[in-house]
Amino acid sequence: MNHIVVVDASGLLPCPGSTPKYWLDQEGRAWPDVHFQPDFSPALVTYFQYKATDTSKSIWSEITNSAGVLVEQLDTLHNVENSTILFLCHGLGTFIALRALSMLGSNWKFKCSKSNTVLVLFGTPLIYQNQNMFRKLLRACATTELGLPTKADNPTAEDLAILADVVKDAEGRKLEVVCVCEKQKSLLGRGAPSFLTGPAPRFSIGQQSMKMSGAEYVPVDQDHLNCARWNDTVYNHASALLKRHHPMNPTTYIGPTDINKDAEQVSVHVKSRPNHPIQLKSSSGAPILPPPLLEFPRNEFFVGRRDVLDHIENTLVRRDEEPSRPHAFALHAPPGYGKTQVARQFAEEHMGHFKSILWLFADSEIKILNGCAAHAVYLGLTKKGESADWAKEAKDVLWDWYRKTDRPWLVIFDNAMDQKLINDWWPHGPAGAILITTNDPTFATNNVAGDGAKLVEIERRL
């Protein structure tokens, strides 16, 4: 099992500051979800969000408080004692994660070690040799990430010592670390500490400020606010470390497909059909289908969303007429609002109704084709072939089954972005239902689904 825990400094102030959306790619999607979940399935991506409430406390003491919350929540992650955790930490969020790891004791399920912990640190000052410069860089991070005014909340000598100690603790554990260093300087303007203002920007967390024993260094052409945005070089480094500690094993996949992004030819790994030969017939002559395959890991902390789940159910399950086109529903919201987990919860609640559930990562045509081909084999409609066109042929067999069967089926297009792509790959059949998750509200119009709802943001903890 892989857990991806994303930590930044948002929440260290009782009132929201100017924290941007760090974890986005060029298309406005949360890149840890988009890439790690399909590439390292089963993997759970969690965004840790601490909510400070006491206005009398400094942000430096809140780092310790939030680390305590993180420690407690790490222990509740699914199968954490047998998992690898990759921490993605931006700026001051690194100290929350490192402080949490230093607080783990023998009574906790997760035992931090070199064999199960990987850290990717984005723009965090780690050098304590010069106390004055360390303080300045920490203040600069606080100003940039939280919008603190001039001279607000300076770290004390005790604060500096605590933060330096957690860095030393991580070095002592010899953890796998990637330090992502900024090449661009930040221009903060009015309200910034005086040493950051002037005719030219002077603040950046470069490699000279991120020295850590045994770490790899990846420079990115970004400033402090944007150094954690999508970068394929950073992702490749993080992926290599994660594979080293927890190699991908096709027999443990929740989903049946593996996308070979570098190859033009489709590459599909099929999850074994449990104890059923191809299209075994029942006494009535109807094919015996394997159990519905739910192809996306569950977030252990999913709660609520009953109104939206009921809305989807009324559209896709409790329907009166039998259409020639499947009933469809588009769930739309900005990245990080939990659309995928709502779709997953709906599918889980209705596994008894739908006899076939197909989960498709819908941001590219090859991923959709892979998913369809693998699902056709899983259902026993065809066998995996060796020809270059076998995947397309398998998809056609699946589409034909959708058109003819009277057994309820569900197709989930997750992270849909291109309306034409989804319409081109739209399955038809009177027993079908289609659920779409997307950032784009126009998917709910008659151009695509014809029905849908906007998912509102709720306060989330790890």
Side-chain angles (χ1 to χ4, degrees), residues 272-295:
S272 298
R273 194 172 190 237
N275 301 321
H276 291 298
I278 297 295
Q279 285 295 286
L280 182 69
K281 300 286 185 176
S282 68
S283 58
S284 64
I288 296 177
L289 297 176
L293 183 65
L294 193 51
E295 304 175 12

Side-chain angles (χ1 to χ4, degrees), residues 307-348:
D307 55 340
V308 175
L309 290 167
D310 288 344
H311 190 173
I312 300 173
E313 179 183 15
N314 289 336
T315 302
L316 301 185
V317 178
R318 301 181 183 280
R319 57 196 199 184
D320 298 326
E321 72 276 14
E322 291 292 331
S324 58
R325 173 184 172 94
H327 279 254
F329 191 96
L331 188 63
H332 56 89
Y337 275 48
K339 302 181 294 295
T340 293
Q341 287 300 328
V342 171
R344 201 251 183 236
Q345 182 68 22
F346 170 78
E348 181 175 314

Side-chain angles (χ1 to χ4, degrees), residues 313-393:
E313 179 183 15
N314 289 336
T315 302
L316 301 185
V317 178
R318 301 181 183 280
R319 57 196 199 184
D320 298 326
E321 72 276 14
E322 291 292 331
S324 58
R325 173 184 172 94
H327 279 254
F329 191 96
L331 188 63
H332 56 89
Y337 275 48
K339 302 181 294 295
T340 293
Q341 287 300 328
V342 171
R344 201 251 183 236
Q345 182 68 22
F346 170 78
E348 181 175 314
E349 291 182 2
H350 296 283
M351 291 182 74
H353 173 76
F354 295 110
K355 307 309 178 186
S356 163
I357 298 176
L358 171 56
W359 190 290
L360 296 171
F361 296 106
D363 56 341
S364 75
E365 187 169 29
I366 192 170
K367 291 181 182 179
I368 295 175
L369 178 58
N370 266 305
C372 294
H375 197 61
V377 177
Y378 178 74
L379 291 179
L381 302 174
T382 186
K383 294 182 179 180
K384 184 176 180 180
E386 300 297 331
S387 70
D389 295 330
W390 87 267
K392 294 180 181 178
E393 294 169 357

Side-chain angles (χ1 to χ4, degrees), residues 56 69 111 117 172 419:
S56 66
V69 175
K111 306 294 190 297
T117 307
Q419 292 186 20

